[in-house]
Amino acid sequence: MSTAPALIPVAEAQTRLFALGPSMPIEIVPLAQSVGRWAAEDVVALRTQPAAELSAMDGYAIRFADLPGPFHLIGESAAGRAFAGALGARETARIFTGAPLPDGADSVLVQEEAEALGDEVRLTGEGPRHEGGNVRPYGLDFHRGDVLIAAGVRITPARLALAAIGGHATLPVRRRVVVAVAGTGDELVRPGMPLRDDQLPESNGAMLAAMLADWPVEVVDLGTLPDRLDTLRDAFAAVRADILVTTGGASVGDHDLVRPALLAAGGSLDFWRIALRPGKPMMAGGLGDAVVLGLPGNPVSAFMTATLFLKPLIAALSGAADPLPPTRSAILGEPLKANDHRTDYLRAATRDGRVFAAAIQDSSMLRTLARADCLIVREPHAPAAAPGDEIEILPIA
């Protein structure tokens, strides 16, 4: 009679999981296709921004030493249409936000503090308080050669704009990860289909696809597979993907056939059973070039393990410098009892600036998960916590 392996800590399981698969190869993609992916190399500025001294306001370009004026108006500088000449003593040029400062100018008199009468401009307010007032200096944002996006940083819309203004039309990223998803279980039917009392709508496939909707992946839906060893073995052997994700069948029951099917298909098991609640029966291994991740069939447990393992694995394979989901501190709103030997992720909601754990944490309750906006992280053997204590949370909404 075989015994189940000892539970391994969450952090150890994550580290071992990341080591199972190589990073995706690098490809060069247009800017628009890079959002949501991780920079595969440092993105370095190809130009300086701004490339000249620019006006920060609409007004008049002047020499600070010529204040309080008056000034003789000799031209105009606008974005894309710079003034071609130079300013002499007590001369000015009309200037607009983002326009280059004319040669000889060092400050901008804002239009609200000036009055133009024909070719004469007079000061009506305080004017700039120092030389360089209302001017954006050369290189204020960055200089040519500066690292704009470090390797391993995720490309957001703002970082895309930074790369664009830095002179880039394309960016180096990792190839999208191909993720094959298979549900297992004779009791599962497609959502919306008629049900017997011993059947359930299959929800994990749609949930996982939604969780990965804005991630750099290509999802291959293998559908729901029956609890038959030969069918599972053949389906697994035919998979061509970077990650094979299964839900259900990873425990120790007579109908939990994912592990034996994986081995029968020529795969290997690296670890199984995590010191985690919910999500203990998760397994990980390999099959050919694919990393295999066996998530629990319980939808709440599948959500937790996808959050803590599947998404971080995708990030790691995609070149993320820090693939783990970020946590933050929060203030507890009600007491929590001391924890046991497993890491707990308690479904919780934020109200009036404090975090409250759901009263019932049964892993079968999807509605509790749907109402949560964060998970309270309770480390193994964490002591009891009182209202007002600082706690660690993982935002999920």
Side-chain angles (χ1 to χ4, degrees):
M1 177 178 173
S2 62
T3 59
L7 302 181
I8 65 173
V10 171
E12 179 185 339
Q14 289 168 327
T15 299
R16 289 171 61 171
L17 179 65
F18 298 159
L20 291 178
S23 296
M24 297 295 100
I26 296 175
E27 60 182 15
I28 307 298
V29 302
L31 285 176
Q33 296 178 22
S34 69
V35 175
R37 299 160 84 166
W38 287 264
E41 301 168 351
D42 287 349
V43 177
V44 176
L46 303 178
R47 56 180 298 277
T48 297
Q49 175 62 24
E53 292 187 320
L54 305 180
S55 177
M57 306 287 286
D58 290 344
Y60 298 89
I62 63 170
R63 301 193 314 183
F64 184 77
D66 290 338
L67 284 170
F71 302 91
H72 180 59
L73 184 63
I74 64 170
E76 177 182 287
S77 183
R81 291 184 289 106
F83 178 69
L87 299 187
R90 292 181 179 266
E91 289 183 334
T92 186
R94 183 80 166 100
I95 196 166
F96 299 93
T97 303
L101 239 60
D103 289 345
D106 57 31
S107 305
V108 171
L109 171 61
V110 298
Q111 63 185 17
E112 293 84 357
E113 297 183 345
E115 180 183 36
L117 299 172
D119 290 341
E120 185 176 86
V121 176
R122 291 184 174 274
L123 179 68
T124 62
E126 293 184 358
R129 297 182 178 181
H130 55 82
E131 183 178 315
N134 303 313
V135 173
R136 293 173 181 151
Y138 169 82
L140 174 65
D141 200 354
F142 54 81
H143 286 78
R144 181 184 178 91
D146 287 350
V147 174
L148 302 180
I149 307 171
V153 171
R154 198 172 189 195
I155 299 166
T156 62
R159 290 176 182 140
L160 179 149
L162 177 62
I165 207 165
H168 292 271
T170 60
L171 290 178
V173 295
R174 301 283 174 177
R175 173 177 64 74
R176 291 182 180 274
V177 180
V178 179
V179 181
V181 179
T184 67
D186 290 337
E187 76 280 12
L188 301 176
V189 300
R190 291 199 311 273
M193 297 297 290
L195 292 172
R196 301 192 310 264
D197 289 345
D198 61 349
Q199 293 178 316
L200 284 172
E202 202 287 318
S203 59
N204 284 331
M207 179 180 70
L208 294 176
M211 292 177 74
L212 301 180
D214 61 348
W215 280 58
V217 299
E218 176 187 338
V219 177
V220 178
D221 184 4
L222 302 180
T224 302
L225 304 175
D227 290 323
R228 289 197 291 274
L229 182 62
D230 57 345
T231 302
L232 293 172
R233 177 200 62 207
D234 294 346
F236 294 168
V239 167
R240 299 294 179 266
D242 302 305
I243 303 174
L244 168 61
V245 182
T246 65
T247 58
S251 192
V252 294
D254 292 343
H255 300 284
D256 292 313
L257 302 175
V258 168
R259 286 184 297 112
L262 170 64
L263 299 176
S268 60
L269 181 67
D270 185 87
F271 64 85
W272 168 53
R273 299 178 81 242
I274 316 299
L276 169 67
R277 184 187 297 108
K280 179 179 71 173
M282 195 200 80
M283 54 157 278
L287 178 61
D289 295 330
V291 179
V292 179
L293 195 58
L295 307 185
N298 181 303
V300 173
S301 298
F303 177 91
M304 297 294 182
T305 48
T307 298
L308 296 171
F309 295 97
L310 174 57
K311 293 179 74 173
L313 173 61
I314 293 169
L317 298 185
S318 299
D322 185 4
L324 297 177
T327 61
R328 64 177 179 84
S329 61
I331 301 301
L332 185 63
E334 60 188 0
L336 292 176
K337 65 181 181 179
N339 197 20
D340 62 10
H341 62 287
R342 285 195 273 173
T343 304
D344 266 8
Y345 287 82
L346 306 177
R347 285 154 284 171
T350 306
R351 298 194 302 272
D352 300 323
R354 296 197 170 201
V355 175
F356 297 82
I360 304 176
Q361 290 289 327
D362 190 291
S363 62
S364 69
M365 297 178 63
L366 259 176
R367 187 160 67 166
T368 303
L369 176 62
R371 290 172 172 171
D373 59 23
C374 65
L375 305 173
I376 296 175
V377 184
R378 298 283 285 159
E379 295 296 341
H381 307 294
D389 285 354
E390 188 175 277
I391 55 170
E392 181 185 8
I393 64 169
L394 195 164
I396 59 172

